[in-house]
Amino acid sequence: MGLLFIGAVARLLYDFTGVLSRRWSRLFSYNRVVLASVFSMIIGIGLLFLAHPRQLLTPSPSDAYLHALRLFVLGCMLVVFSLYTFVAALVLHAASLIRFKPTD
């Protein structure tokens, strides 16, 4: 996921025609990215609350412990991915504004 955004920023910086910049800006519109990030952040935090901390503090090979651990890991992943997607979209928009233009 990180390499996708880094590659997108690199292509935006060297897009002298502006076609790719408009396409990425349309695909990752600010409102859409904010809504998707907030939605996945809420789901991730909800999964963190569903994983009962008492079950995570007493490790045992029971099914309840493994279920709580899976919910906790999935919630953490959703929170991190939503933050990363939001920041990467901000960088994409900033890179589309500060493109290098060829000097003739």
Side-chain angles (χ1 to χ4, degrees):
M1 189 163 139
L3 292 177
L4 172 78
F5 285 119
I6 290 172
V9 169
R11 287 190 64 184
L12 275 176
L13 290 177
Y14 293 104
D15 177 32
F16 299 121
T17 62
V19 174
L20 190 63
S21 174
R22 286 188 297 273
R23 186 184 317 156
W24 281 109
S25 295
R26 193 173 51 242
L27 182 65
F28 290 105
S29 70
Y30 183 75
N31 293 337
R32 192 180 319 166
V33 169
V34 168
L35 286 175
S37 295
V38 167
F39 183 69
S40 62
M41 175 75 75
I42 289 171
I43 290 175
I45 291 173
L47 288 176
L48 289 176
F49 281 118
L50 284 178
H52 302 288
R54 287 177 286 148
Q55 290 178 349
L56 291 174
L57 292 176
T58 57
S60 65
S62 68
D63 288 338
Y65 171 74
L66 293 177
H67 182 68
L69 187 63
R70 286 184 190 116
L71 285 177
F72 182 77
V73 170
L74 183 63
C76 287
M77 280 178 30
L78 278 174
V79 167
V80 169
F81 286 163
S82 66
L83 287 174
Y84 188 75
T85 303
F86 177 71
V87 171
L90 288 180
V91 170
L92 276 173
H93 282 279
S96 69
L97 294 175
I98 310 173
R99 287 185 299 121
F100 295 113
K101 300 191 188 247
T103 56
D104 291 314

